[in-house]
Amino acid sequence: MIEFIDLKEQYKRLKNEINTNIQKVLEHGKFIMGPEITELEKKLADYAGVKHAITCSNGTDALLIPLMAWGIGSGDAVFTTPFTFFATAEVIKLLGATPVFVDIDENTYNINPEALESAILKTIKEGNLKPRAIIPVDIFGQPADYDKLEKISKKYNLLMLEDAAQSFGAVYNKKIAGSFGDAASTSFFPAKPLGCYGDGGAVFTNNDELVTVMKSIRVHGQGSDKYENVRLGINGRLDTIQAAVLLAKLEIFNEEINLRNKVAAKYTRELSGYVKTPCVKEGCISTWAQYSVLAKDSSQKAGVLNNLKKNNIPAAVYYPIPLHLQTVFKNLGYVKGQFPVSENVCERIFSLPMHPYLSDIDMNTIVDVIKKSV
Ligand SMILES: *Cc1c(COP(=O)(O)O)cnc(C)c1O
């Protein structure tokens, strides 16, 4: 049986470490903000090469917390891509701000910097919204084009929040994903490259003031005392038990990223010429949160997915509907055809099983089915 993501195999390998770490928490009983949280935050910050990492409840709150700290709200424009998981745009709208969508690059599927600059200029010209922030998404594990994005954010004085939910640990020009922008967010949802055994997330920043405000927001906007509230916040802490799990997994994370890259390299070798394989830019190392390919068109995709299913091979579609066409965003006024690259990619894309423990034999089976279906 081929798994889409094989968490059981990983657990087998780390069973002793994970069990011991969880046992320790059960015995000391500090389930909320226990010592494992502080230890993990230090290790995560070191790993990303930033001053501060603060853990939190999930990857969605990891996006929400910095936006709240920046006071993003009604009348503000926040630029992001329609080709991402819903949470990226959801948090913008939750705060009363307006997501302004920008089409993606046709090879990396990350935000297109030229289209971003046009969207900023258009928003300024229209004058209804105040451009405040950019949320680039490192889709499938490959960092966005931060050289260009940092120039744009400086030029227009915009805050930048890196959505590194899929890319924590990836490399862009020798820097680690999770270290870009004014803050970066990641998710430890079990299926992410670094996942815990429930929900979890983290925010990264080099800014001391920002981290103080974010820590307050994480616990109901608390002040210096637990029962003094100086602002509105959320209940956004990570459980100590999840930190204990992550501490064990972090030890082998680099090795797992290497293994994922071996799997990706074999897929690409085998599948080029049959489907459009992923394009990793020079200077980048992906974490391969997903290995996603494009079929020629939607009917070829349906055929391949059907054959994979018949052969008991799990596959997934990230993402079938671009966010500008989601029902909930209807009132933003976007129409079909507005972001042709995102729309075309949504029609043609599908993702293959991807995890560090995928065997050559299983990969050969997967590849053969695809080759015979196109
Ligand atoms: C998974 C994901 C999130 C949300 O993370 P959760 O931990 O599920 O809340 C946000 N953005 C992107 C791009 C994601 O893939």
Side-chain angles (χ1 to χ4, degrees):
M1 172 74 188
I2 301 176
E3 301 274 352
F4 191 68
I5 295 172
D6 198 340
L7 295 174
K8 278 174 266 172
E9 195 59 34
Q10 187 196 41
Y11 178 59
K12 251 191 239 162
R13 183 177 166 191
L14 288 174
K15 193 167 184 167
N16 282 336
E17 292 82 355
I18 289 174
N19 288 6
T20 308
N21 284 5
I22 291 178
Q23 191 67 37
K24 268 193 231 157
V25 179
L26 296 180
E27 271 153 33
H28 70 51
K30 297 190 179 77
F31 301 112
I32 301 289
M33 299 306 270
E36 285 79 3
I37 295 284
T38 321
E39 188 186 346
L40 178 66
E41 289 181 340
K42 171 89 181 55
K43 286 190 170 156
L44 290 172
D46 288 348
Y47 188 96
V50 297
K51 240 168 125 181
H52 308 284
I54 74 162
T55 55
C56 63
S57 34
N58 54 65
T60 306
D61 288 344
L63 293 164
L64 191 65
I65 290 170
L67 294 177
M68 285 176 77
W70 291 331
I72 302 281
S74 174
D76 292 338
V78 179
F79 301 86
T80 192
T81 109
F83 189 68
T84 176
F85 180 60
F86 182 61
T88 316
E90 183 183 32
V91 292
I92 301 169
K93 201 74 176 65
L94 263 178
L95 291 173
T98 303
V100 176
F101 292 117
V102 175
D103 212 353
I104 53 173
D105 177 89
E106 62 180 347
N107 293 313
T108 63
Y109 316 139
N110 282 328
I111 196 164
N112 178 327
E114 287 74 36
L116 170 64
E117 188 155 14
S118 309
I120 295 168
L121 289 170
K122 184 165 173 267
T123 304
I124 294 172
K125 198 169 161 210
E126 286 171 354
N128 302 323
L129 297 168
K130 186 175 182 325
R132 287 290 309 279
I134 311 166
I135 310 183
V137 181
D138 304 337
I139 205 75
F140 303 142
Q142 171 164 227
D145 193 347
Y146 287 104
D147 277 349
K148 287 186 182 163
L149 294 172
E150 275 165 3
K151 283 195 190 109
I152 294 171
S153 73
K154 275 211 183 78
K155 184 169 169 189
Y156 297 97
N157 196 23
L158 300 176
L159 292 156
M160 186 152 74
L161 173 60
E162 176 190 7
D163 185 345
Q166 303 182 3
S167 67
F168 179 63
V171 177
Y172 175 92
N173 290 350
K174 303 201 167 71
K175 278 181 73 184
I176 304 289
S179 70
F180 294 95
D182 299 279
S185 308
T186 197
S187 163
F188 302 126
F189 185 79
K192 308 283 178 178
L194 181 63
C196 57
Y197 288 159
D199 280 307
V203 191
F204 303 85
T205 185
N206 286 313
N207 186 322
D208 299 341
E209 273 166 55
L210 178 64
V211 89
T212 307
V213 178
M214 293 197 301
K215 279 183 174 172
S216 162
I217 290 171
R218 174 172 67 176
V219 192
H220 300 292
Q222 75 177 15
S224 49
D225 176 84
K226 196 173 166 186
Y227 294 106
E228 184 205 8
N229 303 88
V230 296
R231 57 174 62 80
L232 293 178
I234 59 174
N235 175 359
R237 293 165 299 224
L238 179 74
D239 293 341
T240 310
I241 286 183
Q242 299 302 345
V245 171
L246 287 164
L247 281 169
K249 290 202 189 186
L250 195 56
E251 291 295 316
I252 61 160
F253 188 42
N254 276 339
E255 191 194 326
E256 289 196 335
I257 293 175
N258 286 337
L259 290 169
R260 285 171 175 277
N261 273 280
K262 287 207 175 111
V263 170
K266 181 174 161 77
Y267 269 142
T268 297
R269 242 181 358 255
E270 297 281 345
L271 290 173
S272 7
Y274 294 90
V275 287
K276 182 172 170 178
T277 53
C279 154
V280 181
K281 287 279 185 80
E282 217 184 295
C284 286
I285 300 171
S286 177
T287 50
W288 299 104
Q290 302 297 340
Y291 186 90
S292 307
V293 298
L294 299 193
K296 201 167 69 215
D297 52 34
S298 59
S299 80
Q300 188 191 54
K301 166 170 142 181
V304 178
L305 289 176
N306 198 25
N307 283 344
L308 287 169
K309 198 169 174 189
K310 269 196 225 147
N311 287 277
N312 284 322
I313 298 168
V317 176
Y318 302 109
Y319 295 91
I321 305 172
L323 297 190
H324 66 289
L325 301 179
Q326 290 284 0
T327 311
V328 63
F329 289 141
K330 237 184 198 151
N331 60 357
L332 293 176
Y334 291 100
V335 293
K336 202 166 158 62
Q338 205 159 352
F339 301 114
V341 183
S342 299
E343 291 170 26
N344 181 264
V345 168
C346 284
E347 277 175 22
R348 294 164 58 198
I349 203 157
F350 60 99
S351 305
L352 302 178
M354 165 53 77
H355 59 80
Y357 308 103
L358 194 59
S359 70
D360 272 356
I361 297 172
D362 286 349
M363 288 185 74
N364 290 338
T365 310
I366 297 164
V367 161
D368 282 346
V369 173
I370 295 171
K371 284 181 175 171
K372 283 186 191 131
S373 320
V374 297

